[in-house]
Amino acid sequence: MVDLNIKIGTIEFKNPVMVASGTFGYASEFCDFFDPSVLGAVITKTVTEDFRPGNPPSRIVETTGGMLNSIGLPNSGVEPFIREKMPFLRKIKTRLIVNIAGKTGDEFARVVEKLEAVDGIDGYELNYSCPNVKEGGLSFSADAAVAEKVTANARKKTRRLLITKLTPNVTSIGDVGKAVENGGADAISAINTVVGMAIDLRKKKPRLSTITGGLSGAAIKPIAMAKVYELLKRTTLPLIAIGGITDTTDALEFLLLGACAVQIGTQNFVNPAIGRDVVEGIADYCRENHIHHISDFTGSLVI
Ligand code: SIN
Protein backbone atom coordinates (compact mmCIF):
# COMPACT_ATOMS: atom_id res chain seq x y z
CA MET A 1 0.00 0.00 0.00
CA VAL A 2 1.16 3.52 -0.82
CA ASP A 3 0.13 6.40 1.42
CA LEU A 4 -0.13 9.69 -0.49
CA ASN A 5 -1.81 11.52 2.37
CA ILE A 6 -0.36 14.95 3.19
CA LYS A 7 -1.11 17.56 5.85
CA ILE A 8 -1.02 21.32 5.31
CA GLY A 9 -1.70 23.28 8.48
CA THR A 10 -4.32 21.22 10.25
CA ILE A 11 -5.93 19.91 7.07
CA GLU A 12 -5.30 16.45 5.65
CA PHE A 13 -5.37 15.92 1.88
CA LYS A 14 -5.74 12.43 0.36
CA ASN A 15 -2.87 13.13 -2.05
CA PRO A 16 -0.65 16.05 -3.14
CA VAL A 17 -2.32 16.70 -6.51
CA MET A 18 -4.51 19.79 -6.87
CA VAL A 19 -5.87 21.66 -9.87
CA ALA A 20 -4.91 25.30 -10.31
CA SER A 21 -7.46 28.06 -10.10
CA GLY A 22 -8.92 29.17 -13.41
CA THR A 23 -7.98 25.98 -15.23
CA PHE A 24 -10.66 23.69 -13.80
CA GLY A 25 -13.70 25.97 -13.71
CA TYR A 26 -15.92 24.98 -10.80
CA ALA A 27 -15.16 21.26 -11.30
CA SER A 28 -18.53 20.32 -12.86
CA GLU A 29 -17.03 21.13 -16.28
CA PHE A 30 -14.58 18.22 -15.88
CA CYS A 31 -16.90 15.51 -14.58
CA ASP A 32 -17.34 13.95 -18.03
CA PHE A 33 -13.62 13.15 -17.97
CA PHE A 34 -13.07 11.89 -14.41
CA ASP A 35 -14.36 12.12 -10.87
CA PRO A 36 -12.64 15.13 -9.22
CA SER A 37 -12.97 13.34 -5.87
CA VAL A 38 -9.74 11.50 -6.75
CA LEU A 39 -7.80 14.77 -6.50
CA GLY A 40 -6.12 16.01 -3.33
CA ALA A 41 -8.05 19.27 -3.70
CA VAL A 42 -10.11 21.29 -6.10
CA ILE A 43 -9.23 24.97 -6.26
CA THR A 44 -11.98 27.09 -7.71
CA LYS A 45 -11.80 29.80 -10.29
CA THR A 46 -11.22 33.17 -8.65
CA VAL A 47 -14.14 34.64 -6.73
CA THR A 48 -14.42 38.39 -6.14
CA GLU A 49 -16.93 40.39 -4.13
CA ASP A 50 -18.93 41.55 -7.16
CA PHE A 51 -19.53 40.47 -10.74
CA ARG A 52 -16.60 41.00 -13.11
CA PRO A 53 -17.03 40.73 -16.89
CA GLY A 54 -13.32 40.06 -17.45
CA ASN A 55 -11.21 41.48 -20.25
CA PRO A 56 -12.36 41.91 -23.85
CA PRO A 57 -11.17 39.33 -26.43
CA SER A 58 -8.63 38.20 -27.51
CA ARG A 59 -7.91 36.69 -24.11
CA ILE A 60 -5.85 33.62 -24.99
CA VAL A 61 -2.92 32.99 -27.30
CA GLU A 62 -1.07 29.72 -27.81
CA THR A 63 2.71 30.12 -27.62
CA THR A 64 5.70 27.82 -27.97
CA GLY A 65 5.48 25.44 -25.03
CA GLY A 66 2.67 27.32 -23.39
CA MET A 67 -0.17 29.77 -23.42
CA LEU A 68 -0.64 33.48 -22.79
CA ASN A 69 -3.84 34.55 -21.08
CA SER A 70 -5.46 37.80 -20.14
CA ILE A 71 -8.84 36.72 -18.86
CA GLY A 72 -9.27 39.43 -16.22
CA LEU A 73 -10.81 37.34 -13.43
CA PRO A 74 -14.38 37.15 -14.80
CA ASN A 75 -16.83 35.69 -12.28
CA SER A 76 -20.34 36.31 -11.07
CA GLY A 77 -19.36 37.49 -7.58
CA VAL A 78 -19.35 35.86 -4.17
CA GLU A 79 -23.12 35.67 -3.51
CA PRO A 80 -23.95 33.94 -6.84
CA PHE A 81 -20.90 31.69 -6.27
CA ILE A 82 -22.34 30.56 -2.95
CA ARG A 83 -25.83 30.09 -4.42
CA GLU A 84 -24.97 28.53 -7.77
CA LYS A 85 -21.60 26.80 -7.45
CA MET A 86 -21.30 25.62 -3.86
CA PRO A 87 -24.15 23.04 -3.97
CA PHE A 88 -22.19 21.01 -6.53
CA LEU A 89 -18.71 21.76 -5.14
CA ARG A 90 -19.56 20.59 -1.64
CA LYS A 91 -20.63 17.20 -2.99
CA ILE A 92 -17.13 16.42 -4.32
CA LYS A 93 -15.42 14.10 -1.87
CA THR A 94 -12.17 15.99 -1.55
CA ARG A 95 -10.84 19.23 -0.13
CA LEU A 96 -12.21 22.48 -1.51
CA ILE A 97 -10.12 25.64 -1.64
CA VAL A 98 -11.75 28.85 -2.88
CA ASN A 99 -9.46 31.21 -4.76
CA ILE A 100 -10.17 34.85 -3.90
CA ALA A 101 -9.15 38.18 -5.40
CA GLY A 102 -9.99 41.76 -4.61
CA LYS A 103 -9.39 45.27 -5.88
CA THR A 104 -8.41 46.28 -2.35
CA GLY A 105 -7.06 44.50 0.71
CA ASP A 106 -10.41 45.06 2.42
CA GLU A 107 -12.21 43.27 -0.42
CA PHE A 108 -10.15 40.11 0.23
CA ALA A 109 -11.18 40.23 3.90
CA ARG A 110 -14.85 40.86 3.06
CA VAL A 111 -15.00 37.90 0.64
CA VAL A 112 -13.39 35.64 3.25
CA GLU A 113 -15.91 36.87 5.82
CA LYS A 114 -18.84 36.07 3.51
CA LEU A 115 -17.51 32.57 2.76
CA GLU A 116 -16.95 31.81 6.42
CA ALA A 117 -20.68 31.23 6.87
CA VAL A 118 -20.66 28.60 4.08
CA ASP A 119 -20.02 24.95 4.85
CA GLY A 120 -17.93 22.63 2.68
CA ILE A 121 -15.00 25.02 2.25
CA ASP A 122 -11.64 23.89 3.65
CA GLY A 123 -9.59 26.96 2.88
CA TYR A 124 -8.84 29.99 0.79
CA GLU A 125 -6.16 30.78 -1.74
CA LEU A 126 -5.55 34.54 -1.86
CA ASN A 127 -4.71 35.50 -5.43
CA TYR A 128 -2.05 38.21 -5.14
CA SER A 129 -0.72 37.38 -8.52
CA CYS A 130 -3.01 38.01 -11.49
CA PRO A 131 -1.07 40.12 -14.00
CA ASN A 132 -4.17 41.00 -16.05
CA VAL A 133 -6.19 43.42 -13.94
CA LYS A 134 -5.81 47.17 -13.51
CA GLU A 135 -6.69 47.27 -9.81
CA GLY A 136 -5.37 44.75 -7.32
CA GLY A 137 -3.64 41.80 -8.95
CA LEU A 138 0.11 42.03 -8.87
CA SER A 139 0.12 45.13 -6.67
CA PHE A 140 -0.55 42.92 -3.63
CA SER A 141 2.58 40.93 -4.06
CA ALA A 142 4.79 43.58 -5.63
CA ASP A 143 5.22 45.08 -2.17
CA ALA A 144 6.05 42.71 0.68
CA ALA A 145 4.58 45.04 3.32
CA VAL A 146 1.25 45.18 1.47
CA ALA A 147 1.22 41.38 1.05
CA GLU A 148 1.80 40.99 4.79
CA LYS A 149 -1.00 43.41 5.68
CA VAL A 150 -3.59 41.89 3.32
CA THR A 151 -2.71 38.41 4.61
CA ALA A 152 -2.96 39.52 8.24
CA ASN A 153 -6.39 41.10 7.61
CA ALA A 154 -7.71 37.93 5.98
CA ARG A 155 -6.16 35.83 8.78
CA LYS A 156 -8.24 37.76 11.34
CA LYS A 157 -11.40 36.61 9.55
CA THR A 158 -10.74 32.86 9.39
CA ARG A 159 -9.28 29.79 11.04
CA ARG A 160 -9.61 27.87 7.79
CA LEU A 161 -6.50 27.09 5.73
CA LEU A 162 -5.03 30.29 4.27
CA ILE A 163 -2.84 29.93 1.19
CA THR A 164 -1.30 32.90 -0.63
CA LYS A 165 -0.66 32.55 -4.36
CA LEU A 166 2.42 34.51 -5.37
CA THR A 167 3.67 35.98 -8.60
CA PRO A 168 7.13 35.43 -10.07
CA ASN A 169 7.00 38.96 -11.52
CA VAL A 170 8.82 40.56 -8.59
CA THR A 171 12.42 41.27 -7.67
CA SER A 172 12.38 38.94 -4.69
CA ILE A 173 9.66 36.32 -4.29
CA GLY A 174 11.52 35.26 -1.13
CA ASP A 175 10.83 38.65 0.51
CA VAL A 176 7.13 38.36 -0.33
CA GLY A 177 7.06 34.77 0.94
CA LYS A 178 8.59 35.86 4.24
CA ALA A 179 6.04 38.68 4.45
CA VAL A 180 3.00 36.43 3.99
CA GLU A 181 4.47 34.05 6.56
CA ASN A 182 4.66 36.98 9.00
CA GLY A 183 1.08 37.87 8.04
CA GLY A 184 -0.17 34.48 9.18
CA ALA A 185 -0.50 32.45 5.97
CA ASP A 186 -0.52 28.67 6.42
CA ALA A 187 1.01 27.93 3.03
CA ILE A 188 2.24 29.48 -0.20
CA SER A 189 1.32 28.47 -3.74
CA ALA A 190 3.71 29.55 -6.48
CA ILE A 191 4.07 30.52 -9.20
CA ASN A 192 1.27 32.27 -11.04
CA THR A 193 1.93 33.27 -14.64
CA VAL A 194 4.94 35.12 -16.00
CA VAL A 195 4.19 38.41 -17.76
CA GLY A 196 4.57 37.96 -21.51
CA MET A 197 3.51 39.40 -24.86
CA ALA A 198 2.78 38.15 -28.37
CA ILE A 199 2.49 40.05 -31.65
CA ASP A 200 0.56 39.26 -34.84
CA LEU A 201 2.95 40.13 -37.67
CA ARG A 202 0.24 40.10 -40.34
CA LYS A 203 -2.07 42.48 -38.49
CA LYS A 204 0.85 44.41 -37.01
CA LYS A 205 -0.94 44.29 -33.65
CA PRO A 206 -0.54 42.70 -30.21
CA ARG A 207 -2.38 39.38 -30.03
CA LEU A 208 -3.99 40.10 -26.64
CA SER A 209 -6.47 42.93 -26.09
CA THR A 210 -4.53 43.99 -23.01
CA ILE A 211 -1.21 43.81 -24.95
CA THR A 212 0.53 41.81 -22.23
CA GLY A 213 -0.74 38.74 -20.40
CA GLY A 214 0.36 35.83 -18.25
CA LEU A 215 2.46 33.00 -19.69
CA SER A 216 1.80 29.48 -18.39
CA GLY A 217 2.48 25.90 -19.45
CA ALA A 218 5.62 23.81 -19.91
CA ALA A 219 7.68 26.84 -20.94
CA ILE A 220 7.63 28.26 -17.40
CA LYS A 221 8.54 25.11 -15.46
CA PRO A 222 12.22 26.00 -14.96
CA ILE A 223 11.22 29.47 -13.72
CA ALA A 224 8.69 27.95 -11.33
CA MET A 225 11.29 25.51 -10.05
CA ALA A 226 13.79 28.27 -9.29
CA LYS A 227 11.13 30.37 -7.52
CA VAL A 228 9.88 27.43 -5.45
CA TYR A 229 13.51 26.70 -4.52
CA GLU A 230 13.98 30.34 -3.44
CA LEU A 231 10.80 30.24 -1.34
CA LEU A 232 11.82 26.97 0.30
CA LYS A 233 15.06 28.61 1.40
CA ARG A 234 13.37 31.75 2.72
CA THR A 235 10.25 30.50 4.51
CA THR A 236 9.21 27.60 6.67
CA LEU A 237 5.74 27.49 5.14
CA PRO A 238 4.54 24.48 3.16
CA LEU A 239 4.98 25.17 -0.56
CA ILE A 240 2.42 24.16 -3.19
CA ALA A 241 4.21 24.20 -6.54
CA ILE A 242 2.57 25.47 -9.72
CA GLY A 243 4.09 26.12 -13.12
CA GLY A 244 4.40 23.97 -16.20
CA ILE A 245 3.45 20.63 -14.67
CA THR A 246 2.42 18.48 -17.62
CA ASP A 247 2.91 14.94 -16.32
CA THR A 248 3.81 12.74 -13.35
CA THR A 249 7.55 13.33 -13.79
CA ASP A 250 7.10 17.11 -13.51
CA ALA A 251 4.98 16.68 -10.39
CA LEU A 252 7.51 14.32 -8.80
CA GLU A 253 10.35 16.74 -9.53
CA PHE A 254 8.62 19.50 -7.57
CA LEU A 255 7.92 17.11 -4.68
CA LEU A 256 11.55 16.00 -4.75
CA LEU A 257 12.58 19.66 -4.53
CA GLY A 258 10.51 20.04 -1.36
CA ALA A 259 7.03 21.18 -2.39
CA CYS A 260 4.42 19.43 -0.27
CA ALA A 261 1.89 19.44 -3.11
CA VAL A 262 1.46 20.49 -6.72
CA GLN A 263 -1.19 22.26 -8.74
CA ILE A 264 -1.79 21.35 -12.37
CA GLY A 265 -2.88 24.28 -14.52
CA THR A 266 -2.61 24.72 -18.28
CA GLN A 267 -2.26 20.97 -18.91
CA ASN A 268 -5.93 20.59 -17.89
CA PHE A 269 -6.76 22.18 -21.26
CA VAL A 270 -4.57 19.64 -23.10
CA ASN A 271 -5.62 16.54 -21.18
CA PRO A 272 -8.72 17.16 -19.03
CA ALA A 273 -7.98 13.97 -17.04
CA ILE A 274 -4.37 14.92 -16.25
CA GLY A 275 -5.17 15.38 -12.53
CA ARG A 276 -6.30 11.76 -12.22
CA ASP A 277 -3.38 10.55 -14.35
CA VAL A 278 -0.84 12.29 -12.11
CA VAL A 279 -2.42 10.92 -8.91
CA GLU A 280 -2.15 7.41 -10.39
CA GLY A 281 1.33 8.11 -11.75
CA ILE A 282 2.66 9.21 -8.35
CA ALA A 283 1.17 6.12 -6.71
CA ASP A 284 2.79 3.87 -9.36
CA TYR A 285 6.16 5.58 -8.90
CA CYS A 286 5.99 5.09 -5.13
CA ARG A 287 5.08 1.42 -5.52
CA GLU A 288 7.86 0.79 -8.02
CA ASN A 289 10.40 2.54 -5.79
CA HIS A 290 9.20 1.03 -2.48
CA ILE A 291 8.17 4.42 -1.09
CA HIS A 292 5.49 3.70 1.50
CA HIS A 293 4.62 7.27 2.35
CA ILE A 294 4.95 10.24 0.00
CA SER A 295 6.60 12.26 2.80
CA ASP A 296 9.57 9.84 2.62
CA PHE A 297 10.16 11.17 -0.89
CA THR A 298 9.28 14.86 -0.49
CA GLY A 299 12.34 17.09 -0.21
CA SER A 300 14.83 14.29 -0.74
CA LEU A 301 16.66 16.14 -3.52
CA VAL A 302 20.43 15.87 -3.18
CA ILE A 303 22.11 19.25 -3.76
C1 SIN B 1 -6.96 35.99 -15.34
O1 SIN B 1 -8.16 35.83 -15.01
O2 SIN B 1 -6.61 36.97 -16.00
C2 SIN B 1 -5.92 34.99 -14.94
C3 SIN B 1 -5.98 34.65 -13.52
C4 SIN B 1 -4.70 34.83 -12.80
O3 SIN B 1 -3.65 35.02 -13.40
O4 SIN B 1 -4.71 34.78 -11.56
Side-chain angles (χ1 to χ4, degrees), residues 100-121:
I100 295 172
K103 290 202 266 312
T104 63
D106 287 346
E107 185 178 337
F108 277 94
R110 284 196 301 272
V111 177
V112 169
E113 203 164 22
K114 284 183 181 155
L115 292 169
E116 278 296 280
V118 179
D119 62 1
I121 296 173

Side-chain angles (χ1 to χ4, degrees), residues 272-289:
I274 182 69
R276 179 205 57 200
D277 294 352
V278 172
V279 173
E280 290 172 2
I282 292 175
D284 289 345
Y285 177 88
C286 288
R287 260 189 297 275
E288 282 156 21
N289 291 280

